[in-house]
Amino acid sequence: MNYYVAVITDVIETIECSISSRLTLAELSARAGISDFHFNRMFSTVAGVTLKQYVLGRKLAYAAEWLRTTNRPVTDIALELGFEYPEVFSRAFKSQL
């Protein structure tokens, strides 16, 4: 397996396991053992989207699933997924439609 693909696969697994946490570029690039700049380029090349786009997309996918399958309030879901304000979550969710 290509080194870059292996590194990004590991990072994606970390993101999936920690979706409710606030993960930073610095933390993830340190985990990979490479600079922030190089990590960002590598992630975009392998995943086809930026790290920020990927994390936001995954959080919104979880939110959509929870909204469909639970009776939890939108505010609770937004806060659990790391959005500081429900309004920010709402705007992000609407922009993905």
Side-chain angles (χ1 to χ4, degrees):
M1 178 182 287
N2 183 324
Y3 170 74
Y4 294 132
V5 173
V7 168
I8 299 307
T9 299
D10 180 59
V11 168
I12 287 174
E13 288 174 11
T14 300
I15 292 167
E16 292 296 323
C17 291
S18 308
I19 199 69
S20 295
S21 302
R22 181 176 162 87
L23 299 170
T24 65
L25 171 62
E27 291 169 338
L28 294 173
S29 63
R31 178 179 175 84
I34 54 180
S35 73
D36 293 357
F37 176 77
H38 188 66
F39 175 82
N40 237 355
R41 286 186 2 176
M42 185 188 328
F43 191 93
S44 294
T45 300
V46 173
V49 294
T50 66
L51 175 65
K52 184 176 180 178
Q53 290 169 326
Y54 181 82
V55 171
L56 179 60
R58 294 304 300 143
K59 286 183 180 213
L60 294 176
Y62 276 98
E65 181 65 23
W66 291 343
L67 289 168
R68 272 193 303 275
T69 61
T70 70
N71 291 325
R72 295 174 62 191
V74 174
T75 303
D76 290 352
I77 292 171
L79 293 174
E80 183 170 336
L81 289 171
F83 291 90
E84 291 185 32
Y85 303 101
E87 299 81 15
V88 173
F89 168 76
S90 180
R91 274 194 304 272
F93 199 83
K94 287 176 185 175
S95 73
Q96 291 291 315
L97 296 177

